[in-house]
Structures are given as structure tokens and as C-alpha cells.
Amino acid sequence: MAVLAALLPAVPMEAAARAGTTYYVDSAAGDDAAEGTGESTAWKSLDAVNAAALQPGDTVAIKRGSSFAGSLILTADGTAGSPITVKAYGKGALPRISGRDADCVVISGDHWHVSGLRASGCRWAGFHIDGDHNVLSGVEADRNIAGAVVAPTGARNTIRDSTFTGNNRMSIADKGGDDDSGAFGILLNGDDNLVTGNTITGSHAKSPDYGVDGAAIEIFSGNRNRVTHNRAHDNNTFSELGAKKGDTATGNLLAFNVVTSTLKSGSFLVTRGPRHIVGPVKGTVAVHNSVHMPARKTIGWSCHDGCSPSILKLRNNVIVVGGQAGYEDGSGADEAGSVYRARSARFKLGPSSVMADPGFVSATNLRLRPGSPARGRAVRLTAKWYGGAALARDFTGRPIPSDPHAGAYQR
């Protein structure tokens, strides 16, 4: 979603990097005994980077085609005006970091901008963010338990324009105990993070407890996270929310996401009320999402164990599933302005919402055909509903018109 990225507040990376020192790393031709400040004097290993006393404005440039086993551990702190940069240089495949002994890229410092890396087959997470105000962009993660995780200590980070593919391993997969866990594209345990413009596929794995489990974006005990403008395909769930007892998962937003699946089962959104062991999850908002999951064992959204308007608000979504459009108990969710197509539904339609064929162009192209009942159906919302003015754009980056359509596409 480069269009959307251009609309977000700029991160002053390049000017800051020029003011600092650039260190080069080349796994094939480098030498850790070299000074590292030029391509011809590049370091060889991640150990050299981990040991370096990096300063605000410095850059670590890793040669494309390089391959490393172990961890890149980023502990220094940049500043808002002079973040520390990690990027790829040269031609070829992204530098690959792998190894089952540890997480591959660990960012415990603040104000890092990390791009152009692939984290594959790591111990638990491909990218593990413990710090604040960090940016992941243009990275890839695959074959992990979690492609990226923002820890409880991580806040105000951004994960954007990245690809998370086949993160389909389980950390716990034993029969009984209701505790299987894993197969996350992105896991958010921290607060106030932005996840936008990413492509997330294949987050699903066999589970003795649940049959199949996994999520494109799991939110557990994280508050006020914004999940917007992502494309998700063949994930078991797009987003599942919960909180351990004593914690909260309040005020999370899902907006302008495009979700498709060919799997035999799955869901778009799962959240919980106060009677659930990992509830209540309060104040979740889902607006202008487009969903197509045609298999019979699917559900659009589930708000259970004490659902109420304080638990879930839905506006202007287009949801096509082969199973149940949505489920609510208790006093029910606050829902309006949406179009649903499904075999059944266990919720009360809100104002302007209808059960009808929305007229998607195809099973994978969720734009609306002419004459779609979703056109002009959406209720008008303020920018706050979308996570702020910078995010008040449709999936392609177009502004929201005065007669908005339901779903992620406006034109």
C-alpha cells in the first residue's frame, strides 16, 4: 500500500542517516575485523552489528543475498529526529536471517527504522519489538510462530508495507487444556501501534484443541491499536481479540481491510464479552472492511459471552461468507450501514444494513460492480472512526466521498 504510506506522517529517515555513520554487512565477503564503514570493508556477521555502539542517525546496510543464522539484536536508542536505520543494499534477494535458537530480529531500543530484511524459520518470532516508536517497513517473514510480535512493553510502533507469508507454526499444540497458540502473521500485545498496508497470507495451522487455529493479526491485551488497509488471504481468522485477566484489550480498530479465503473454515473477527476467560474485550470498532470467505464453516464476526455495544461496533462493512454472517448474544453489537450475504445470521441488522449480494467483481477482487447495493449505503463517519484524518482513505488511498460506499473500496 505505497499509496497509503505516502499519506502518513513522514519519518525523517534519510536526512538523519546522512548525519550519522553507515556500517555495511556482507555475509559472503565481509570481515568482522574490518572497520565496516564501506562496502569494501564490510563486516561479515550480525555479531559485529550487535556489538556496535550505534548512535542516533546511524545506518546499518546489509547486502542483498546475504544469509545469517542467529539474531540481529537492536538495543540502542535513536531519536524522533534521528532514528537508527537498518536497510538492504545491492541487488538480489532480501538478506535472510534464520535459526530456531532465538527470535531473528529483536528491537528493544526506541526509534529504529528497519526495512528490507527477511526473517524465516525463527525460534518464535521473525521480528520481535519490545521498544517504542519503531518502524518496520518492506520486511518479509515466513515459517515462524509469529511473523512479527509487538511485546507488552512495545508501544506506538508501525508495521507497514510488509509481507507475512506462511507463519504457520504452533508454540503450544497439545490435546486438552484449551491453550494451543500460534500461527500469527502479526501478534499485538502492546498499545497504540499501527499495522497498515501489509499483505498477510497462510496464518493457519493444525491444532489438537481447536482443529485449526491462527490469525492474520491477533490482538491480546493490546489497547488502541489501529489495523488498517491490509490485504489478507487464507488465514484462519483475520483478527481475534482477547486479554488475560487483569489486562484489557480496549479501543482497537479494524478499518479498510480486504480479507479473502479459500480455506474450509475461518472467520473475519472474533471478540469476547465479560463471561469469557479472555474477556471482556471492550470498544472494538470494525469499519469499511470487505470480506469474502465462501466455505460453509465460516463466520463473518462473532461477539459472544456477553456481547454489547460497548464490546463491538460495526459500520459500513461488506461481508460475504458461506456460513454465518455474524453472531451476537447479550444485548448485541452496535451495527449499521453494512451488506451481508450468508446462509444464516444470528444478529439483528442495524440501520441501513441489508442481506444482499454485494456484487463483488470476483472472489479475489472485492471492488463493487455497478448497481451494487453497497454503493452509497454507508453511514457517514468522522475521521475518528478511521483512526485519524491520515487514515480516512479507502483501500486504494482515495478520500471518503460524501455518499460513501460500504466496504473497503470507494470507487
Side-chain angles (χ1 to χ4, degrees):
M1 290 296 296
V3 172
L4 181 66
L7 300 171
L8 297 175
V11 179
M13 297 304 309
E14 296 303 322
R18 286 194 295 271
T21 301
T22 298
Y23 299 94
Y24 294 85
V25 187
D26 181 344
S27 69
D31 182 350
D32 285 350
E35 65 179 9
T37 54
E39 293 185 37
S40 62
T41 60
W43 293 329
K44 184 178 183 65
S45 75
L46 299 179
D47 291 339
V49 181
N50 297 342
L54 298 173
Q55 301 296 315
D58 284 351
T59 295
V60 176
I62 303 178
K63 190 171 184 180
R64 286 176 173 266
S66 290
S67 183
F68 308 91
S71 296
L72 177 62
I73 303 174
L74 307 176
T75 59
D77 290 333
T79 66
S82 296
I84 306 174
T85 304
V86 178
K87 66 180 184 179
Y89 76 95
K91 297 180 179 180
L94 294 184
R96 180 176 181 267
I97 304 173
S98 62
R100 293 291 181 92
D101 292 335
D103 293 346
C104 285
V105 179
V106 179
I107 309 173
S108 58
D110 301 338
H111 294 290
W112 285 83
H113 184 230
V114 177
S115 65
L117 299 181
R118 176 188 173 195
S120 176
C122 311
R123 179 193 64 86
W124 204 89
F127 296 87
H128 188 125
I129 304 174
D130 288 298
D132 301 342
H133 297 289
N134 298 296
V135 178
L136 285 184
S137 65
V139 302
E140 298 178 1
D142 60 279
R143 301 191 302 116
N144 306 294
I145 294 168
V149 58
V150 179
T153 56
R156 294 171 293 281
N157 299 289
T158 298
I159 302 173
R160 62 176 175 84
D161 304 320
S162 296
T163 302
F164 300 88
T165 305
N167 293 286
N168 54 11
R169 292 166 39 218
M170 303 290 286
S171 61
I172 301 175
D174 53 7
K175 193 170 184 177
D178 193 27
D179 60 355
D180 289 357
S181 177
F184 308 124
I186 299 170
L187 172 61
L188 301 176
N189 298 135
D191 301 339
D192 299 297
N193 301 288
L194 173 64
V195 176
T196 189
N198 303 287
T199 298
I200 308 168
T201 61
S203 306
H204 63 96
K206 291 182 179 180
S207 161
D209 287 346
Y210 313 122
V212 180
D213 200 17
I217 301 167
E218 182 102 349
I219 302 175
F220 193 79
S221 298
N223 302 289
R224 299 176 303 279
N225 294 290
R226 294 171 295 165
V227 176
T228 79
H229 300 85
N230 300 285
R231 184 182 295 277
H233 181 66
D234 281 358
N235 304 283
N236 184 59
T237 299
F238 176 70
S239 189
E240 183 172 1
L241 300 96
K244 65 182 181 181
K245 291 302 179 185
D247 283 350
T248 62
T250 298
N252 293 290
L253 168 69
L254 313 177
F256 297 106
N257 299 290
V258 175
V259 180
T260 58
S261 179
T262 61
L263 299 178
K264 295 180 179 179
S265 62
S267 57
F268 164 58
L269 169 63
V270 177
T271 189
R272 282 88 176 211
R275 296 197 303 272
H276 197 275
I277 191 172
V278 295
V281 179
K282 297 181 179 180
T284 300
V285 174
V287 295
H288 281 288
N289 300 284
S290 292
V291 179
H292 187 266
M293 307 176 74
R296 290 177 68 88
K297 293 182 179 180
T298 52
I299 184 168
W301 53 268
S302 177
C303 178
H304 56 85
D305 287 289
C307 186
S308 71
S310 67
I311 300 295
L312 179 62
K313 297 184 187 304
L314 304 115
R315 294 288 187 277
N316 306 344
N317 300 291
V318 180
I319 296 177
V320 175
V321 294
Q324 193 171 89
Y327 173 88
E328 65 185 14
D329 61 11
S331 58
D334 178 356
E335 191 278 336
S338 299
V339 177
Y340 298 91
R341 188 183 188 189
R343 285 191 301 116
S344 65
R346 292 191 59 182
F347 69 96
K348 182 180 179 181
L349 286 172
S352 298
S353 291
V354 295
M355 290 286 181
D357 183 350
F360 289 145
V361 171
S362 71
T364 55
N365 182 350
L366 305 192
R367 289 174 172 83
L368 303 171
R369 294 181 183 274
S372 165
R375 289 177 174 264
R377 180 165 299 277
V379 296
R380 296 186 65 179
L381 303 172
T382 64
K384 184 178 180 180
W385 282 82
Y386 308 125
L391 296 172
R393 306 271 174 158
D394 83 343
F395 185 77
T396 65
R398 293 186 175 95
I400 309 303
S402 58
D403 57 340
H405 305 332
Y409 295 99
Q410 292 303 303
R411 290 290 181 268

